[in-house]
Amino acid sequence: IRAEVVLDAVNTCGVNDTLWLRPDHSIAAIGPYESIRNQIKSTLTPTQRASIKIIDRPNSLIIPFLVNAHTHLDLTHLGPFPFSGDFISWIDRIRDGRYYDEEGVRNSTNLGIELSQNGGTAAVGDIAGTFSTTPFQTLAASNLKGVSYIELFGQGIIQKDAINRMNEIVQTYHSQSTQQVKLGLQPH
């Protein structure tokens, strides 16, 4: 892939660079086109070279996938709204607007997954705040990687119920974690 700029995880590799991908989509090399072309000539057989596809993206920037370490995918439907300076009012607005039914939570989580992927995100740390495993199951069915943390509040008189719920979640759903998506708990 030839692009205007190619960035790796450390720095800018250069302007008008080329990214050489192996068949498994791992990176073979990054650098100026002539340098990559010489590496290909010296490394691959004529038959292998004939199968190479060159993709020109002259006005593009190629970067590694992004990681969003703190999402609330189940709140995506709320969209952004300004903070008025009053935390209690802001939190009440979230509580009033969030979905608590399985279909609403799933739809909002799917919307968040779609928007994340469209923005170049490949992995998330999602905080699911409805005491539900629906965000975890929805994330596990997607192409994103990450951890879905079920947010549990358990202070005061509801502490015992929260601990019981945590144990129930671990026993019921922990085995559903995959290589791509893990289940986590976020107790408060």
Side-chain angles (χ1 to χ4, degrees):
I1 303 172
R2 293 190 291 197
E4 184 76 22
V5 176
V6 177
L7 297 173
D8 64 14
V10 179
N11 56 22
T12 302
C13 295
V15 176
N16 297 319
D17 268 351
T18 300
L19 173 66
W20 177 17
L21 297 176
R22 295 181 184 98
D24 68 358
H25 296 108
S26 64
I27 297 172
I30 300 173
Y33 177 71
E34 290 303 320
S35 172
I36 298 298
R37 195 170 85 169
N38 290 336
Q39 287 180 50
I40 289 171
K41 282 182 181 179
S42 68
T43 307
L44 301 180
T45 66
T47 304
Q48 290 171 319
R49 289 195 302 265
S51 69
I52 290 178
K53 179 181 176 183
I54 296 174
I55 301 170
D56 283 312
R57 295 288 187 254
N59 298 315
S60 297
L61 163 70
I62 298 176
I63 61 172
F65 282 115
L66 303 173
V67 175
N68 188 338
H70 188 118
T71 64
H72 291 271
L73 297 173
D74 62 324
L75 297 176
T76 304
H77 70 282
L78 294 176
F81 54 85
F83 177 62
S84 66
D86 179 9
F87 183 73
I88 300 298
S89 296
W90 182 78
I91 270 299
D92 285 344
R93 189 169 172 194
I94 291 171
R95 284 186 192 138
D96 292 343
R98 93 172 321 138
Y99 291 129
Y100 291 93
D101 64 289
E102 190 171 315
E103 181 181 3
V105 170
R106 185 180 315 100
N107 290 340
S108 189
T109 302
N110 275 323
L111 177 60
I113 289 167
E114 178 184 346
L115 293 173
S116 295
Q117 290 176 319
N118 289 346
T121 299
V124 297
D126 183 49
I127 313 300
T130 59
F131 245 44
S132 167
T133 58
T134 299
F136 162 69
Q137 293 166 329
T138 306
L139 183 60
S142 78
N143 292 326
L144 284 179
K145 297 179 182 181
V147 180
S148 180
Y149 295 96
I150 299 174
E151 189 172 39
L152 299 157
F153 292 89
Q155 298 134 339
I157 61 172
I158 63 170
Q159 183 177 25
K160 185 176 180 183
D161 290 339
I163 291 169
N164 289 338
R165 179 71 175 136
M166 283 189 286
N167 287 327
E168 176 188 322
I169 289 168
V170 168
Q171 290 171 7
T172 305
Y173 294 100
H174 184 68
S175 64
Q176 293 181 19
S177 289
T178 67
Q179 286 288 89
Q180 305 293 85
V181 177
K182 304 291 183 202
L183 175 68
L185 298 174
Q186 177 62 53
H188 294 286

